[in-house]
Amino acid sequence: MKIDNQDIIRAARQLRDEENAALHVSPWNRHRHFHVPVWLVAIPAAAIIGFVFGLWTQANSHSDVPLTALVDTVYIKVPTPQPQQDSVVQAIPTSSTPTVAKPSPRQTIRTTSASAPSRKTVGRPVADDHIRYDLLVKN
Protein backbone atom coordinates (compact mmCIF):
# COMPACT_ATOMS: atom_id res chain seq x y z
CA MET A 1 0.00 0.00 0.00
CA LYS A 2 1.11 3.33 -0.95
CA ILE A 3 0.56 6.42 1.25
CA ASP A 4 0.11 9.69 -0.56
CA ASN A 5 -0.17 13.27 0.67
CA GLN A 6 -3.96 13.17 0.97
CA ASP A 7 -3.76 10.26 3.41
CA ILE A 8 -1.27 12.14 5.58
CA ILE A 9 -3.50 15.27 5.62
CA ARG A 10 -6.59 13.20 6.48
CA ALA A 11 -4.76 11.35 9.30
CA ALA A 12 -3.48 14.68 10.74
CA ARG A 13 -6.99 16.17 10.75
CA GLN A 14 -8.44 13.08 12.42
CA LEU A 15 -5.75 13.13 15.12
CA ARG A 16 -6.32 16.86 15.70
CA ASP A 17 -10.08 16.40 16.04
CA GLU A 18 -9.65 13.50 18.51
CA GLU A 19 -7.25 15.55 20.69
CA ASN A 20 -9.54 18.58 20.64
CA ALA A 21 -12.52 16.46 21.61
CA ALA A 22 -10.59 15.08 24.59
CA LEU A 23 -9.79 18.58 25.91
CA HIS A 24 -12.13 20.10 28.50
CA VAL A 25 -11.84 23.90 28.20
CA SER A 26 -14.23 26.24 30.00
CA PRO A 27 -15.81 28.86 27.79
CA TRP A 28 -14.13 32.29 27.72
CA ASN A 29 -15.80 34.82 29.99
CA ARG A 30 -15.10 38.50 29.31
CA HIS A 31 -16.00 39.64 32.84
CA ARG A 32 -13.64 37.27 34.56
CA HIS A 33 -10.53 38.87 33.02
CA PHE A 34 -8.98 41.94 34.60
CA HIS A 35 -9.50 45.15 32.67
CA VAL A 36 -8.26 48.66 33.38
CA PRO A 37 -10.95 51.36 33.82
CA VAL A 38 -10.93 53.98 31.11
CA TRP A 39 -10.68 56.92 33.56
CA LEU A 40 -7.53 55.39 35.06
CA VAL A 41 -5.84 55.71 31.68
CA ALA A 42 -7.48 59.00 30.63
CA ILE A 43 -6.39 61.11 33.63
CA PRO A 44 -2.62 60.52 33.31
CA ALA A 45 -2.87 60.85 29.54
CA ALA A 46 -4.61 64.22 29.87
CA ALA A 47 -2.01 65.38 32.40
CA ILE A 48 0.86 64.44 30.10
CA ILE A 49 -0.80 66.07 27.09
CA GLY A 50 -1.44 69.24 29.11
CA PHE A 51 2.17 69.35 30.31
CA VAL A 52 3.53 68.97 26.79
CA PHE A 53 1.07 71.59 25.49
CA GLY A 54 2.18 74.00 28.24
CA LEU A 55 5.83 73.52 27.35
CA TRP A 56 5.02 74.07 23.68
CA THR A 57 3.11 77.32 24.32
CA GLN A 58 5.82 78.62 26.65
CA ALA A 59 8.47 77.91 24.03
CA ASN A 60 6.44 79.81 21.40
CA SER A 61 5.95 82.91 23.54
CA HIS A 62 8.78 85.37 23.06
CA SER A 63 8.14 87.41 26.16
CA ASP A 64 11.18 88.94 27.86
CA VAL A 65 9.20 89.63 31.02
CA PRO A 66 9.13 86.74 33.50
CA LEU A 67 5.78 85.45 34.66
CA THR A 68 6.37 86.80 38.17
CA ALA A 69 6.49 90.35 36.80
CA LEU A 70 3.14 90.13 35.06
CA VAL A 71 0.30 91.81 36.94
CA ASP A 72 -3.31 90.97 36.32
CA THR A 73 -4.76 93.48 38.80
CA VAL A 74 -5.34 97.05 37.78
CA TYR A 75 -5.64 99.65 40.50
CA ILE A 76 -7.76 102.67 39.65
CA LYS A 77 -7.57 105.65 41.94
CA VAL A 78 -11.11 106.81 42.56
CA PRO A 79 -11.41 110.34 43.89
CA THR A 80 -13.36 110.58 47.11
CA PRO A 81 -16.55 112.53 46.59
CA GLN A 82 -17.05 115.69 48.56
CA PRO A 83 -19.76 115.34 51.16
CA GLN A 84 -22.89 117.04 50.02
CA GLN A 85 -24.19 119.54 52.52
CA ASP A 86 -27.94 119.57 52.58
CA SER A 87 -28.33 121.57 55.74
CA VAL A 88 -28.18 125.29 56.21
CA VAL A 89 -25.06 126.72 57.76
CA GLN A 90 -25.80 129.69 59.96
CA ALA A 91 -23.32 132.05 61.46
CA ILE A 92 -24.33 133.10 64.94
CA PRO A 93 -23.38 136.71 65.56
CA THR A 94 -21.43 137.37 68.72
CA SER A 95 -21.34 140.49 70.82
CA SER A 96 -18.01 141.56 69.34
CA THR A 97 -19.37 141.57 65.79
CA PRO A 98 -19.95 145.07 64.51
CA THR A 99 -23.35 145.74 63.05
CA VAL A 100 -23.79 147.50 59.78
CA ALA A 101 -26.67 149.96 59.62
CA LYS A 102 -28.12 149.65 56.14
CA PRO A 103 -25.99 148.45 53.23
CA SER A 104 -26.44 149.80 49.81
CA PRO A 105 -27.69 147.35 47.17
CA ARG A 106 -24.20 147.12 45.68
CA GLN A 107 -22.53 146.18 48.94
CA THR A 108 -22.53 142.70 50.42
CA ILE A 109 -22.94 142.00 54.11
CA ARG A 110 -20.01 140.28 55.72
CA THR A 111 -20.25 139.36 59.35
CA THR A 112 -16.99 137.84 60.49
CA SER A 113 -15.60 137.72 63.93
CA ALA A 114 -11.89 138.23 64.32
CA SER A 115 -11.69 137.39 68.00
CA ALA A 116 -13.91 134.31 68.34
CA PRO A 117 -14.65 131.78 65.57
CA SER A 118 -18.32 131.35 64.81
CA ARG A 119 -19.98 128.03 65.60
CA LYS A 120 -21.35 126.33 62.47
CA THR A 121 -24.31 124.00 62.63
CA VAL A 122 -23.80 121.03 60.34
CA GLY A 123 -26.22 118.18 59.77
CA ARG A 124 -29.77 117.56 60.82
CA PRO A 125 -31.29 115.15 63.33
CA VAL A 126 -32.77 111.95 61.93
CA ALA A 127 -36.16 112.78 63.40
CA ASP A 128 -36.30 116.08 61.48
CA ASP A 129 -35.44 114.91 57.95
CA HIS A 130 -38.84 113.23 57.31
CA ILE A 131 -37.40 110.02 55.85
CA ARG A 132 -39.07 106.71 56.69
CA TYR A 133 -36.05 104.65 57.68
CA ASP A 134 -38.29 101.77 58.74
CA LEU A 135 -39.05 101.18 55.05
CA LEU A 136 -35.33 100.73 54.32
CA VAL A 137 -34.99 97.81 56.73
CA LYS A 138 -35.43 94.43 55.10
CA ASN A 139 -37.07 91.78 57.27
Side-chain angles (χ1 to χ4, degrees):
M1 203 174 206
K2 192 172 178 188
I3 301 176
D4 58 350
N5 288 337
Q6 294 298 329
D7 293 334
I8 296 173
I9 293 173
R10 189 175 339 116
R13 282 184 186 159
Q14 184 180 6
L15 183 63
R16 180 194 66 193
D17 291 340
E18 289 175 3
E19 287 178 355
N20 286 344
L23 292 176
H24 296 290
V25 179
S26 61
W28 184 70
N29 190 353
R30 167 182 267 173
H31 301 292
R32 195 182 314 169
H33 297 291
F34 177 74
H35 61 79
V36 179
V38 176
W39 62 268
L40 196 60
V41 175
I43 290 175
I48 292 170
I49 290 170
F51 181 74
V52 170
F53 184 71
L55 288 177
W56 178 70
T57 56
Q58 186 178 9
N60 287 339
S61 66
H62 302 289
S63 176
D64 295 336
V65 180
L67 287 176
T68 56
L70 295 177
V71 177
D72 62 349
T73 305
V74 178
Y75 294 99
I76 299 172
K77 193 171 200 177
V78 178
T80 57
Q82 296 294 331
Q84 187 177 12
Q85 294 181 352
D86 61 346
S87 51
V88 178
V89 179
Q90 297 177 345
I92 302 172
T94 59
S95 61
S96 64
T97 305
T99 58
V100 178
K102 190 173 184 183
S104 66
R106 293 184 185 169
Q107 292 178 348
T108 59
I109 301 174
R110 292 186 185 176
T111 56
T112 58
S113 173
S115 62
S118 64
R119 184 176 163 198
K120 295 182 179 180
T121 306
V122 180
R124 190 180 340 181
V126 174
D128 292 342
D129 62 1
H130 304 293
I131 296 176
R132 300 261 327 253
Y133 289 103
D134 60 333
L135 297 176
L136 297 176
V137 177
K138 186 175 183 180
N139 292 334

